[in-house]
Amino acid sequence: MPTDYISIKALVDDGQYEALAEYITNLDVDISKIDSISFTGNAIIDVILNDKMAKANKQDITINMSVGFNDAWGIQAYDIGIIISNLLDNAIKAVQDYDGVDKIITFSILSKSPVIIICCENPYSDENKNQPETQLWHGLGLKNIESIANRYNGTMRVEGKNGRFMNTVMLKAHF
């Protein structure tokens, strides 16, 4: 769970509503600094995508994006948001550590009825491939993604070869 959500939940649980209002106001300021592009028309997903694009741009990383989202899929925007956030955070981190020149992440969300396919591909440094596979690919974020995939009768596939890392998540739509 991202830090902002944990902080908000803690403030709500403690009944600190004035502190919560101030925290959200500060988040609003940070969000307003992001160049806002509508990728999907869903405000939650678009904020996440814009934030990840801004983070990547600060690191001179390009994200080639082809995304769509349809509320009619019956998949919660919150769940898609967790998937997007974790996939792109992992990809940005891997590309930051990558010493090659092709610092490009390819990210897509598409619907091929009855499934939604979310794919994230990026280069990674050969130095990282000496880490145990579980350390490299199976962090808490990927466990969250896998849990969401299972909830939607889907799958998550992780593979790395030829210096490229690809994570594909398939979710069954609930039309």
Side-chain angles (χ1 to χ4, degrees):
M1 184 178 289
T3 307
D4 291 334
Y5 299 121
I6 293 168
S7 300
I8 290 169
K9 183 174 180 348
L11 291 170
V12 169
D13 289 348
D14 289 345
Q16 297 182 24
Y17 301 111
E18 286 181 32
L20 175 63
E22 183 179 336
Y23 189 84
I24 290 172
T25 299
N26 290 335
L27 280 177
D28 239 4
V29 170
D30 289 344
I31 289 171
S32 69
K33 292 178 184 174
I34 299 171
D35 290 335
S36 186
I37 299 171
S38 180
F39 293 100
T40 67
N42 180 288
I44 295 169
I45 295 171
D46 286 346
V47 165
I48 294 168
L49 291 171
N50 278 289
D51 177 57
K52 301 308 173 194
M53 290 287 283
K55 286 180 181 175
N57 286 337
K58 285 181 186 175
Q59 301 293 324
D60 293 322
I61 297 170
T62 301
I63 300 179
N64 291 332
M65 238 185 253
S66 173
V67 297
F69 178 76
N70 187 332
D71 290 326
W73 292 342
I75 296 175
Q76 299 273 332
Y78 175 80
D79 289 333
I80 295 280
I82 289 172
I83 293 170
I84 291 168
S85 198
N86 283 298
L87 290 178
L88 287 174
D89 282 344
N90 290 347
I92 290 168
K93 174 68 176 125
V95 175
Q96 282 174 336
D97 297 338
Y98 178 67
D99 23 339
V101 293
D102 60 332
K103 294 188 175 224
I104 299 171
I105 297 168
T106 304
F107 184 82
S108 62
I109 302 174
L110 62 119
S111 174
K112 294 205 179 232
S113 190
V115 297
I116 288 79
I117 302 166
I118 303 169
C119 187
C120 188
E121 184 177 346
N122 59 271
Y124 66 93
S125 178
D126 286 338
E127 295 170 11
N128 291 337
K129 76 178 181 183
N130 294 328
Q131 294 178 8
E133 188 170 314
T134 54
Q135 240 182 348
L136 182 60
W137 294 341
H138 296 289
L140 182 59
L142 291 180
K143 288 180 183 183
N144 287 337
I145 293 170
E146 188 171 37
S147 173
I148 292 168
N150 289 335
R151 195 170 338 132
Y152 289 97
N153 299 315
T155 60
M156 179 182 78
R157 187 177 74 206
V158 178
E159 58 185 323
K161 58 182 167 185
N162 301 327
R164 302 286 303 166
F165 180 82
M166 185 187 297
N167 194 322
T168 305
V169 180
M170 289 187 276
L171 308 172
K172 186 175 180 194
H174 297 265
F175 293 109

